[in-house]
Amino acid sequence: MERIAWFFLLQYCCCMAATCVTMAAHVQTNISIDQSALLAFKASITDDPHKLIFTNWSTIVPVCNWVGVTCAARHHRVAVLNLSYFGLTGTIPPELGNLSFLVELRLRNNSFHGTLPQELASLHRLRLISLGYNKFMGTIPSWFGSLSKLQTFNLYGNQFSGSIPATILNLSALQVIDLTYNQLSGNIPREIGNITMLKEIYLDSNKFTEIPNEIGSLDQLEILFVQLNALKGSIPMVVFNMSSLTMLALYGNNLNGSLPDNICQHLPSIQDLTLGYNQFDGPLPSKLWECKELLQLEVPRNSFSGEIPNTFGNLTQIQTIDLGLNYLTGPIPHQIGHLPNLEILNLGGNNFNEVIPSLIFNMSTIAVISLFDNQLSGNLPPNTGLGLPNLQRFYLGGNKLSGAIPKSLSNASNLEVIDLGSNLLFGVIPSTLCTLTKLQLLQLFDNNLTVSTSTPELDVLFCLANLRNLRRLDFSVNPLDANLPISFTNTSLQ
Ligand SMILES: *[C@@H]1O[C@H](CO)[C@@H](O)[C@H](O)[C@H]1NC(C)=O
Ligand SMILES: *[C@@H]1O[C@H](CO)[C@@H](O)[C@H](O)[C@H]1NC(C)=O
Ligand SMILES: *[C@@H]1O[C@H](CO)[C@@H](O)[C@H](O)[C@H]1NC(C)=O
Ligand SMILES: *[C@@H]1O[C@H](CO)[C@@H](O)[C@H](O)[C@H]1NC(C)=O
Ligand SMILES: *[C@@H]1O[C@H](CO)[C@@H](O)[C@H](O)[C@H]1NC(C)=O
Ligand SMILES: *[C@@H]1O[C@H](CO)[C@@H](O)[C@H](O)[C@H]1NC(C)=O
Ligand SMILES: *[C@@H]1O[C@H](CO)[C@@H](O)[C@H](O)[C@H]1NC(C)=O
Ligand SMILES: *[C@@H]1O[C@H](CO)[C@@H](O)[C@H](O)[C@H]1NC(C)=O
Ligand SMILES: *[C@@H]1O[C@H](CO)[C@@H](O)[C@H](O)[C@H]1NC(C)=O
Ligand SMILES: *[C@@H]1O[C@H](CO)[C@@H](O)[C@H](O)[C@H]1NC(C)=O
Ligand SMILES: *[C@@H]1O[C@H](CO)[C@@H](O)[C@H](O)[C@H]1NC(C)=O
Ligand SMILES: *[C@@H]1O[C@H](CO)[C@@H](O)[C@H](O)[C@H]1NC(C)=O
C-alpha cells in the first residue's frame, strides 16, 4: 500500500516539479547513447554493398529515422534493430550493449563474424535475438542466460561449437530456440527441461548425441527437431508422452529400438512424425491410427519389418506415408486406397507382394506413387490414369508387373516421371504417352515391350524423344523392332 501510494506521488511530482521532469527526460529520452552505440556499430562494419548504413546512418538525421532502426513510441529509444538481408560484413562491437531499450535484434543473412561481446548481456529488455546465417563462431556464451526476457533465440546457420551452456535454464520466458546448422555437440543440457514456456526447439544439423529425459517436462512443446545429428540409443520414452507435440523430427541419426505400439496414446496432437534414416526395427505400431491428426509419416531407411496394419486406413488426415527402404512385407492394404488426403505414398524398397490394390490407381489427391523394388505382381488396371489427375511421379520399377501399359495412363496429364523398368510388361508401348508434355523421365528398360511397325505406332519413340521436357528415355533390354534406328534401341538422352 505504502509503496504504491509513493509511486503515484512520485509520478505526480514529476509532472509538477521541474527537477523531476529533467530527471525523467534524462532517463527516458536521451537517444544520444543509442546514437553513439549505433555509430560504433557502423564503424565496425567493413562492407556494406548496398551502402545502406554508410549513407543513411548520418548524425544530421535523427537516429529513429535511420534505416533498420525503429524507436519505441513510449521512450523514443531504439527498440528494434533489423539489418537482416543487408549483406553486411563486420563484427559486433561491445557498444551495442548500450542499446538498453532494445527489444529485438535482427541481423540474419549477413556476414557478421567473430565472437559475441559479453556487453550484450546487459540488453535486459531483449525479447528476440536473430543472428541466423552469419559467420559467428566460438562457444555459445553463457551470459545469454542473463537475457531473462528472451522469447526467441535464433543462432542457426553459424559456426558455433561446443555444447549448449547450462545457463540457458535462466531463460524462463524462452519460447523458440533455433540452433540449426552449427557444430554444437554433446548432450542437450538437462536444464532445458526447466524452460517450461518452450514451444519450439530446432537443433538440426549439429552433433548432439542425446536427448535428455528432462525434455519431458516441457508441457507446452509443440515442435522438436533434432535431425541430422549423432543421437544414439533409443528415443527417451518421455518424448512419446508430450501431449502438446505436433512435430517430432529425428531424421538422420543413429537411433535404434522399436516404436511403442501405443505411440499415439499420449501424442494426440502429432501431425508430423519424421524418423527416417535411423536404425529403428520391429513392427510398425499397430495403433498408429490413434494419431488422428497425423499428416506426415516419414520413416524411410530403417529396419521396420512385418506388414502395414490395415488400420492405416483410419489415418484420414494423412498426406504423406513414406515407409521406403525397410523390410516390410505382405500385401499393400487396400484401405490405403481410401485415404482421402494422401499425396505421397512411398513404399519402395521393401518386400511387398501380391497385386497392387486397384484403389491406389484411383486417388484423386495422389501426386507420388512410389512402389519400386518390391515383389508386386499383376497387371496395371485397364483404366489406370483416369483417376489420377494429380499424379506427377509414378515409380513401379523393379517388380513383377505383367500385362500391357494401359493407353489410359496418358490421362494422368501431370506425369513427370514414369518408371516401369525391370518388370514383366509386354505388348506395344502406347503412342498416347506422347501427349504427356510434362514428362521428364520415362524408364521402360528390362521388359518385353515392343513398338508396332504399323503407323502411327512406329512414331512412338520419335515423338517421345521429342517431348520438350524429357531428359531421359530408357528402352534398353526390350526386344524392340530390328528396323529401328540403333540410337533408339538403347536410348539414354543426356
Ligand atoms: C545525454 O547523454 C549524454 C551522454 O550520456 C550526455 O552527454 C548528454 O548531456 C545527455 N543529454 C541530455 C539532453 O540529457
Ligand atoms: C534512410 O532510410 C530511411 C528508411 O529507408 C529513409 O526514410 C530515409 O530517407 C533515409 N535517409 C537518408 C538520409 O538516406
Ligand atoms: C527486417 O528487414 C528485412 C529487410 O529490410 C525485411 O525483409 C524484414 O521483413 C524485416 N523484418 C521485420 C520483422 O520487420
Ligand atoms: C557504451 O559502451 C562502451 C563499451 O561497452 C562504454 O565504454 C561506453 O562508456 C558506453 N557509452 C555510453 C554513452 O554509455
Ligand atoms: C539466407 O542465407 C542462407 C544461407 O546462406 C541462404 O541459403 C538463403 O538463400 C539466404 N536467404 C536470402 C533471402 O538471402
Ligand atoms: C541467472 O539468473 C539469476 C537470477 O535471475 C542471476 O542471478 C544469474 O546471474 C543468472 N545467471 C546467468 C548465467 O546469467
Ligand atoms: C529445474 O528443474 C528441476 C526439476 O526438473 C528442479 O529440481 C530444479 O530445481 C530446477 N532448477 C531451477 C534452477 O529451476
Ligand atoms: C542401440 O544403440 C546403442 C548405442 O549405440 C547400443 O549400445 C545398443 O546395443 C543398440 N541396441 C540395439 C538393439 O541394437
Ligand atoms: C507419461 O505421463 C503419464 C501421466 O501424464 C505418467 O503417468 C507416465 O509415467 C508418463 N510416462 C513416461 C514414460 O514418462
Ligand atoms: C477404421 O475405419 C473403419 C471404416 O473405414 C471403421 O469401420 C473402423 O471401426 C475404424 N477402426 C478404428 C479402430 O477406428
Ligand atoms: C476408378 O473408379 C471409377 C469409378 O469410381 C471406376 O470406373 C474406374 O474403373 C476406377 N479405376 C481404376 C483404375 O480402378
Ligand atoms: C514377350 O512378349 C511376347 C508377346 O508380346 C511373348 O510372345 C513372349 O513370350 C514374351 N517373352 C518373354 C521372354 O516373356
Side-chain angles (χ1 to χ4, degrees):
M1 275 295 279
E2 225 176 53
R3 276 173 65 171
I4 292 169
W6 181 80
F7 176 72
F8 279 114
L9 192 68
L10 186 70
Q11 281 230 319
Y12 182 69
C13 142
C14 281
C15 300
M16 301 302 285
T19 50
C20 270
V21 174
T22 320
M23 254 181 70
H26 181 80
V27 172
Q28 297 194 334
T29 65
N30 192 341
I31 188 102
S32 64
I33 299 171
D34 294 3
Q35 176 173 309
S36 52
L38 291 176
L39 288 175
F41 193 21
K42 178 178 174 178
S44 75
I45 290 169
T46 55
D47 189 29
D48 177 9
H50 312 299
K51 301 279 174 269
L52 287 164
I53 306 292
F54 285 177
T55 59
N56 194 289
W57 286 18
S58 140
T59 48
I60 54 171
V61 178
V63 173
C64 295
N65 294 345
W66 290 2
V67 65
V69 175
T70 308
C71 294
R74 198 151 77 100
H75 304 293
H76 300 289
R77 297 287 299 268
V78 176
V80 177
L81 185 59
N82 176 11
L83 307 181
S84 292
Y85 309 105
F86 276 37
L88 305 171
T89 303
T91 54
I92 307 293
E95 285 83 356
L96 211 64
N98 290 345
L99 293 176
S100 49
F101 285 77
L102 200 64
V103 176
E104 295 185 6
L105 178 60
R106 297 178 184 270
L107 301 177
R108 73 167 285 180
N109 278 63
N110 286 288
S111 294
F112 289 110
H113 54 89
T115 52
L116 297 167
Q118 175 150 21
E119 284 75 6
L120 298 187
S122 49
L123 297 176
H124 60 95
R125 284 185 170 84
L126 212 54
R127 294 215 187 101
L128 177 144
I129 185 159
S130 173
L131 306 179
Y133 294 127
N134 278 285
K135 294 175 175 157
F136 293 113
M137 52 199 303
T139 53
I140 296 179
S142 60
W143 53 253
F144 269 115
S146 53
L147 302 176
S148 62
K149 293 209 171 111
L150 208 59
Q151 293 173 359
T152 305
F153 185 39
N154 292 342
L155 300 184
Y156 52 80
N158 282 285
Q159 285 141 38
F160 287 109
S161 53
S163 50
I164 302 179
T167 55
I168 61 154
L169 80 87
N170 256 19
L171 302 178
S172 57
L174 200 63
Q175 295 179 16
V176 179
I177 182 166
D178 190 341
L179 307 177
T180 302
Y181 297 123
N182 278 288
Q183 277 135 44
L184 299 164
S185 55
N187 295 344
I188 298 165
R190 288 186 293 145
E191 287 79 0
I192 204 162
N194 289 58
I195 315 175
T196 52
M197 303 292 277
L198 266 176
K199 287 192 168 66
E200 302 174 19
I201 299 178
Y202 304 94
L203 302 175
D204 288 359
S205 298
N206 282 288
K207 298 173 196 161
F208 292 114
T209 49
E210 199 180 298
I211 297 177
N213 276 316
E214 284 75 3
I215 208 151
S217 336
L218 301 178
D219 60 8
Q220 302 196 42
L221 196 70
E222 291 166 13
I223 299 180
L224 178 59
F225 275 48
V226 196
Q227 308 186 94
L228 298 164
N229 273 275
L231 299 176
K232 55 185 183 341
S234 51
I235 304 180
M237 280 301 139
V238 292
V239 170
F240 301 115
N241 218 6
M242 300 179 73
S243 56
S244 50
L245 267 192
T246 60
M247 295 187 180
L248 175 63
L250 302 173
Y251 165 98
N253 283 288
N254 298 314
L255 293 163
N256 63 14
S258 56
L259 299 181
D261 204 46
N262 64 350
I263 182 167
C264 298
Q265 198 178 351
H266 300 294
L267 290 179
S269 309
I270 197 84
Q271 294 179 354
D272 288 15
L273 199 52
T274 303
L275 304 176
Y277 288 76
N278 278 289
Q279 285 137 37
F280 294 114
D281 57 14
L284 296 170
S286 70
K287 292 183 183 154
L288 200 71
W289 61 270
E290 290 179 354
C291 291
K292 297 257 185 254
E293 307 293 321
L294 200 60
L295 300 176
Q296 324 286 339
L297 173 66
E298 297 181 57
V299 299
R301 233 223 57 191
N302 279 291
S303 299
F304 289 112
S305 55
E307 303 196 1
I308 301 182
N310 293 346
T311 49
F312 266 44
N314 292 52
L315 291 166
T316 50
Q317 305 288 318
I318 204 157
Q319 295 167 354
T320 302
I321 296 180
D322 185 352
L323 309 176
L325 306 172
N326 278 288
Y327 299 101
L328 297 163
T329 56
I332 299 172
H334 68 87
Q335 287 87 347
I336 285 186
H338 284 299
L339 292 171
N341 296 304
L342 197 64
E343 290 167 17
I344 298 177
L345 176 65
N346 178 19
L347 306 179
N350 281 285
N351 293 312
F352 292 112
N353 53 30
E354 296 187 23
V355 173
I356 304 170
S358 63
L359 285 167
I360 303 272
F361 300 111
N362 226 349
M363 300 183 81
S364 61
T365 50
I366 201 114
V368 179
I369 297 177
S370 178
L371 307 175
F372 66 90
D373 289 355
N374 279 291
Q375 311 289 326
L376 298 162
S377 54
N379 297 359
L380 293 176
N383 289 332
T384 300
L386 284 172
L388 296 167
N390 287 305
L391 188 65
Q392 294 172 6
R393 295 166 172 264
F394 193 46
Y395 300 96
L396 297 181
N399 281 291
K400 296 177 186 164
L401 301 174
S402 56
I405 302 176
K407 286 196 170 87
S408 54
L409 190 56
S410 61
N411 287 288
S413 59
N414 284 307
L415 271 170
E416 293 169 6
V417 174
I418 300 176
D419 173 13
L420 297 171
S422 296
N423 276 292
L424 305 169
L425 298 166
F426 58 83
V428 163
I429 299 168
S431 59
T432 51
L433 295 183
C434 292
T435 63
L436 293 170
T437 53
K438 295 182 179 167
L439 206 58
Q440 295 174 16
L441 175 69
L442 179 59
Q443 306 267 45
L444 300 175
F445 63 89
D446 193 11
N447 279 291
N448 185 11
L449 295 161
T450 60
V451 286
S452 162
T453 48
S454 66
T455 51
E457 306 289 4
L458 181 61
D459 296 333
V460 65
L461 297 186
F462 292 96
C463 75
L464 284 174
N466 283 319
L467 280 173
R468 188 161 24 98
N469 292 306
L470 202 72
R471 286 188 282 109
R472 192 174 158 83
L473 179 62
D474 195 337
F475 294 115
S476 58
V477 211
N478 273 299
L480 291 171
D481 192 276
N483 296 328
L484 284 167
I486 186 78
S487 57
F488 282 105
T489 60
N490 187 354
T491 305
S492 294
L493 301 181
Q494 191 184 342

